[in-house]
Amino acid sequence: MPVSQLQRLEAALAAVRKTTDRTPDTALILGSGLGQLADAVADPVAVGYEEIAGFPVSTAPGHAGRLVFGRLHGREAVLMQGRFHLYEGWAPRDIALAVYLLQRLGARRLIVTNAAGALNESYGPGEVMAIADHMNFTGSDPLTGANDEAIGPRFPDLSRAYDPALRALVRAAAERAGQPLQEGIYAGVAGPSLETSAERRFYRASGADAVGMSTVHETIAAAHVGLPVIGLSAITNKATGGPDQQPDTIEEVIANAAVSGRKIAAILAELLPALPA
Ligand code: HPA
């Protein structure tokens, strides 16, 4: 008998509950080069992905592979330190499983962070973008296949995929933190090869401001279970595909993710205490 997504979810939840009974109200997924955000967690309890039945094990550079529970700026939080990407070979439904688990652990909102290239000419490496919306260019959807109504509806609404009220709180938090904040549209691609310059011009022309290899499947899964999403992109490289386009390197991406990551940390320090109960 094939194992259903609901059975996988229940097994994963039971595995985590063998280690901790904490009930975080806020979940964060840490993107490439942003794992240091977990350093601010007080009173941490870590659960390695290998301890969670049916869970994928993350292999991307800059990614540990564990859930970290603890207090973050006064909030009970759970962080995914290391996320799952299509380019590692994980199925879209594996990515969804992790988000369902965060919600079943108690999360009432999901903060997704990622590293992204700037399609928008006016964005620079080291900046932070609040995700206003996304376009899924991966060619896949994590809800493909049989739907389990015990998880969520067949056709979830995505018209406000990145919660506008929470985004207003992000803007206010960035202002209090003295951090400039871009706000724009994230184009999700499968990777792992980077985009050609022609593709980048196409994504830009379609209205996207930043491009990256994560997040869209997580946000779709969150919508499936009614979990509001905040998205923050660390802008790590210019990806305009224009005549001055330089070759991209992973070293540049990781180095600039650290710069943007410090800014994201400062914004989160203001945001987390201001989130609704
Ligand atoms: N393209 C796709 N993913 C990325 C990029 C990019 O330019 N930079 C960081 N993640």
Side-chain angles (χ1 to χ4, degrees):
M1 253 264 306
V3 178
S4 75
Q5 191 76 324
L6 186 60
Q7 288 167 324
R8 292 178 75 196
L9 176 57
E10 284 166 355
L13 185 60
V16 173
R17 287 298 180 222
K18 278 189 210 151
T19 304
T20 178
D21 59 2
R22 291 174 91 144
T23 51
D25 64 47
T26 301
L28 294 94
I29 301 180
L30 305 182
S32 297
L34 300 170
Q36 83 275 12
L37 294 173
D39 297 343
V41 174
D43 201 8
V45 175
V47 183
Y49 293 163
E50 72 286 350
E51 297 173 52
I52 306 176
F55 225 57
V57 178
S58 174
T59 62
H63 286 256
R66 56 192 193 155
L67 292 182
V68 179
F69 295 82
R71 292 201 71 79
L72 187 59
H73 306 297
R75 278 216 109 79
E76 196 62 31
V78 58
L79 292 76
M80 276 183 75
Q81 199 177 21
R83 63 141 59 87
F84 310 117
H85 301 89
L86 294 173
Y87 63 74
E88 296 169 274
W90 300 114
R93 52 202 293 109
D94 294 329
I95 300 172
L97 177 73
V99 172
Y100 300 156
L101 178 64
L102 297 174
Q103 193 237 7
R104 291 285 171 120
L105 287 166
R108 293 196 290 277
R109 67 204 52 103
L110 172 65
I111 302 176
V112 288
T113 64
N114 58 51
L119 301 166
N120 189 318
E121 296 274 2
S122 71
Y123 290 7
E127 292 193 317
V128 179
M129 182 187 90
I131 303 178
D133 209 341
H134 81 215
M135 294 193 241
N136 177 6
F137 285 112
T138 67
S140 64
D141 189 302
L143 311 186
T144 298
N147 186 60
D148 195 327
E149 292 286 331
I151 296 179
R154 172 77 288 188
F155 301 109
D157 178 63
L158 278 162
S159 62
R160 289 173 182 75
Y162 298 83
D163 190 90
L166 291 178
R167 195 148 24 92
L169 295 181
V170 173
R171 279 195 295 270
E175 177 119 12
R176 286 196 301 281
Q179 293 296 342
L181 183 70
Q182 304 282 7
E183 194 165 334
I185 295 174
Y186 177 91
V189 297
S193 55
L194 288 147
E195 310 72 42
T196 65
S197 290
E199 286 165 346
R200 286 171 166 175
R201 293 193 301 274
F202 169 78
Y203 295 137
R204 177 65 198 134
S206 75
D209 298 288
V211 57
M213 301 177 191
S214 66
T215 301
V216 294
H217 288 56
E218 294 153 0
T219 296
I220 292 168
H224 195 211
V225 292
L227 188 61
V229 176
I230 292 169
L232 292 169
S233 292
I235 302 297
T236 55
N237 54 295
K238 287 260 186 197
T240 59
D244 56 350
Q245 176 68 55
Q246 301 298 311
D248 304 291
T249 66
I250 184 69
E251 291 77 19
E252 175 197 21
V253 167
I254 299 284
N256 286 320
V259 175
S260 303
R262 284 192 283 277
K263 298 176 182 174
I264 291 176
I267 295 169
L268 292 178
E270 292 291 337
L271 175 67
L272 289 179
L275 290 171

